[in-house]
């Protein structure tokens, strides 16, 4: 029998994977869009529904980035509303630990956990971005090393607050004094049906892996091949013992895209067309400017790559995190372009694709199962290219095959998100 996988749905809002030109594309603000995707995920018996966060509209060359112009709703507000129109689906909000405070956020998350009868999750992210910090009273930013220090104490403090109510419903005073936070008093929300909201950590860095091993229930990651996935899986799972944890205490769920067709060949054609829509000529130049850090509007997207060197910390792009050394990434792009005879736009298409599963429903189901069976992941967070119907095909055609093989549940066995994930309720530490 295959290992049982976990599945989650990422709402396709503001990101480079969404295809807004598709006539089936709808609003990323209208509540009906959130309802459609969440109910589709629940129909497919997914573990949870996942929302990203944007604390400031990004800028590119002094203008609001095109993908942000319709706004970025606050995650917990949306999920509280979705709690009323779903029954079993977990509800995960991305909330920044750099620009929030433990008491207030712990209260909001505990409230969602009660309103949803134990289905809340918190994706903990941090920021070292002074541009985002300008939106907040204290301004500025935290150094990279400090942001994980703050996040770790933030999560620990939130758990102290959640544990200040006994499982029997008695409130007890709390007092926390640390390097980052000093808070005391009494918490206003009783212990929730699943003890604590589930904690998710997004990150691939060494600091992120260690933070996840020490404090998270799920790590949201990315890796491009089966081999890379196995290496990441083995590394993170090996870190758990140092914190007295077992391998199954942390679920590893990479973000992936899926494209299906009646045949493998048809799916490959669809996948290529989707990438062409995602990387329009304009978006190819934008992607290159983000990497080179300079205005490339004079360059032809269907021509060769720029021969100039990247400009570090130019300020051209604000509010977007650049992954990797620009010089190293440019060198890799040039090597790919030269080896395959690619234009700038073709190179962006070739090099910026997220790990994807492409093929017939049978092929996709088999590859997903193999990824889990070979310990490259415990499950997947699906990032569709279409809002809000991008999961319909997967739920209708791939999920039944996973269920038939025993690789995925046919029904929910419990009511809380922890029960879906096979995670024990936290031991009360009052």
């Amino acid at each position: 029998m295959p290992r049982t996988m976990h599945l989650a749905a990422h709402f396709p809002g503001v990101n480079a994977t969404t295809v807004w030109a598709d006539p089936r594309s709808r609003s990323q603000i209208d509540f009906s869009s959130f309802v459609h995707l969440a109910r589709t995920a629940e129909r497919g018996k997914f573990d949870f529904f996942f929302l990203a966060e944007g604390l400031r509209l990004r800028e590119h060359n002094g203008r609001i980035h095109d993908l942000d112009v319709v706004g970025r709703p606050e995650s917990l507000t949306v999920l509280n509303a979705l709690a009323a129109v779903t029954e079993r689906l977990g509800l995960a909000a991305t909330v920044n630990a750099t620009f929030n405070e433990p008491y207030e956020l712990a209260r909001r998350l505990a409230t969602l956990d009660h309103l949803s009868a134990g289905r809340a999750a918190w994706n903990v992210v941090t920021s070292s971005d002074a541009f985002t910090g300008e939106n907040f009273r204290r301004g500025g930013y935290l150094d990279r090393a400090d942001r994980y220090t703050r996040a770790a104490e933030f999560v620990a403090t939130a758990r102290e607050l959640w544990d200040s109510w006994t499982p029997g419903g008695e409130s007890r005073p709390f007092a926390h004094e640390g390097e980052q936070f000093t808070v005391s008093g009494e918490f206003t929300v009783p212990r929730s049906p699943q003890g604590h909201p589930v904690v998710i950590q997004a990150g691939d860095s060494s600091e992120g892996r260690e933070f996840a091993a020490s404090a998270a229930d799920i790590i949201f990651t990315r890796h491009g091949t089966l081999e890379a996935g196995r290496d990441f899986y083995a590394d993170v799972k090996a870190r758990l013992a140092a914190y007295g944890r077992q391998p199954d205490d942390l679920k590893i769920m990479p973000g992936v895209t899926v494209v299906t067709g009646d045949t493998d060949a048809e799916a490959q054609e669809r996948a290529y067309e989707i990438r062409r829509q995602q990387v329009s000529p304009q978006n190819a130049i934008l992607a290159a400017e983000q990497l080179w850090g300079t205005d490339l509007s004079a360059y032809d997207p269907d021509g060769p790559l720029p021969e100039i060197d990247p400009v570090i910390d130019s300020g051209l792009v604000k509010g977007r995190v650049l992954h990797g050394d620009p010089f190293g990434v440019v060198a890799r792009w040039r090597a790919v372009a030269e080896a395959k005879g690619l234009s700038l736009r073709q190179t962006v298409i070739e090099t910026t694709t997220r790990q994807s599963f492409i093929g017939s429903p049978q092929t996709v189901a088999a590859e997903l199962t193999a990824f889990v069976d070979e310990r490259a992941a415990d499950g997947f967070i699906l990032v569709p290219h279409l809002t809000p119907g991008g999961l319909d095909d997967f739920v209708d055609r791939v999920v039944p095959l996973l269920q038939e093989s025993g690789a995925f549940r046919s029904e929910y066995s419990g009511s809380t998100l922890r029960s879906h994930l096979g995670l024990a309720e936290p031991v009360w530490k009052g």
Side-chain angles (χ1 to χ4, degrees):
M1 288 290 291
R3 293 177 68 216
T4 301
M5 72 178 65
H6 299 282
L7 293 175
H10 187 288
F11 183 79
V14 181
N15 54 60
T17 63
T18 307
V19 177
W20 295 112
D22 192 301
R24 296 168 295 173
S25 180
R26 296 291 182 267
S27 171
Q28 68 182 58
I29 296 286
D30 193 279
F31 186 56
S32 64
S33 291
F34 296 104
V35 172
H36 181 109
L37 192 77
R39 284 180 168 168
T40 300
E42 188 163 68
R43 178 165 58 86
K45 314 304 178 187
F46 279 37
D47 293 68
F48 60 92
F49 174 93
F50 184 78
L51 281 177
E53 179 181 61
L55 293 180
R56 182 164 182 173
L57 297 180
R58 298 166 293 184
E59 293 184 10
H60 189 105
N61 204 13
R63 299 176 59 191
I64 297 298
H65 191 268
D66 285 351
L67 294 180
D68 280 351
V69 294
V70 292
R72 309 195 72 172
E74 196 277 320
S75 298
L76 279 168
T77 304
V78 174
L79 295 181
N80 278 305
L82 287 177
V85 296
T86 56
E87 296 180 356
R88 299 290 186 92
L89 184 70
L91 303 168
T94 302
V95 187
N96 197 298
T98 303
F99 299 116
N100 283 283
E101 297 297 326
Y103 183 90
E104 174 61 17
L105 181 54
R107 187 166 175 259
R108 291 162 63 202
L109 287 162
T111 299
L112 174 61
D113 216 25
H114 274 282
L115 291 178
S116 64
R119 296 184 281 138
W122 169 26
N123 179 38
V124 184
V125 296
T126 64
S127 177
S128 58
D129 177 16
F131 175 73
T132 300
E134 291 174 359
N135 272 354
F136 295 87
R137 178 177 58 82
R138 65 176 174 271
Y141 64 99
L142 292 176
D143 289 333
R144 183 177 182 86
D146 293 337
R147 62 193 179 114
Y148 277 114
T149 300
R150 178 183 170 89
E153 188 176 332
F154 197 123
V155 173
T157 305
R159 285 176 168 152
E160 289 178 32
L161 299 177
W162 294 326
D163 273 343
S164 67
W165 282 74
T166 71
E170 179 185 353
S171 172
R172 297 185 177 184
F174 66 85
H176 173 93
E177 185 171 349
E179 292 183 4
Q180 300 291 326
F181 309 106
T182 300
V183 292
S184 62
E186 291 196 13
F187 197 54
T188 62
V189 185
R191 191 172 178 85
S192 76
Q194 62 175 348
H196 298 169
V198 168
V199 172
I200 305 170
Q201 154 67 11
D204 287 340
S205 68
S206 179
E207 300 101 318
R209 297 181 192 201
E210 200 66 26
F211 177 48
S214 68
D217 301 303
I218 300 169
I219 183 167
F220 176 33
T221 181
R222 66 177 71 196
H223 36 68
T225 65
L226 181 65
E227 291 73 23
R230 282 193 297 225
D231 290 344
F232 181 89
Y233 190 96
D235 176 74
V236 172
K237 295 283 187 174
R239 296 172 187 248
L240 292 167
Y243 301 97
R245 306 181 69 195
Q246 300 299 313
D248 284 343
D249 291 342
L250 176 66
K251 308 301 181 183
I252 297 176
M253 299 181 68
V256 301
T257 60
V258 173
V259 180
T260 61
D262 291 338
T263 65
D264 289 352
E266 179 183 311
Q268 290 289 347
E269 291 178 4
R270 287 189 62 197
Y272 180 72
E273 181 56 32
I274 289 169
R275 288 299 293 148
R276 281 184 55 82
Q277 290 177 294
Q278 291 169 331
V279 185
S280 64
Q282 178 191 21
N283 283 347
I285 293 296
L286 289 176
E289 287 180 341
Q290 290 164 11
L291 178 57
W292 264 271
T294 191
D295 186 343
L296 300 177
S297 57
Y299 284 79
D300 181 359
D302 294 318
L305 271 64
E307 296 181 356
I308 60 176
D309 289 332
V311 179
I312 305 300
D313 298 329
S314 67
L316 182 80
V317 180
K318 296 182 177 180
R320 177 181 290 276
V321 177
L322 181 63
H323 298 281
D325 168 46
F327 286 91
V329 177
V330 165
R332 181 167 61 86
W333 280 27
R334 285 174 174 155
V336 170
E338 182 177 354
K340 298 186 177 183
L342 303 179
S343 68
L344 173 58
R345 182 185 179 196
Q346 290 169 330
T347 302
V348 175
I349 292 173
E350 180 78 13
T351 58
T352 61
T353 304
R354 187 189 297 267
Q355 163 64 36
S356 296
F357 295 90
I358 302 169
S360 67
Q362 292 79 9
T363 296
V364 169
E367 291 182 351
L368 290 170
T369 301
F371 236 75
V372 173
D373 284 347
E374 296 189 35
R375 301 305 199 272
D378 292 311
F380 308 93
I381 297 177
L382 274 67
V383 185
H385 71 277
L386 188 63
T387 305
L391 277 185
D392 295 0
D393 195 51
F394 182 88
V395 167
D396 291 338
R397 304 185 69 188
V398 179
V399 167
L401 298 176
L402 296 172
Q403 292 170 331
E404 288 172 13
S405 71
F408 189 61
R409 69 171 67 89
S410 295
E411 294 293 340
Y412 291 112
S413 59
S415 59
T416 69
L417 178 53
R418 288 188 178 275
S419 67
H420 303 342
L421 294 166
L423 297 172
E425 181 177 326
V427 176
W428 181 63
K429 297 179 180 179

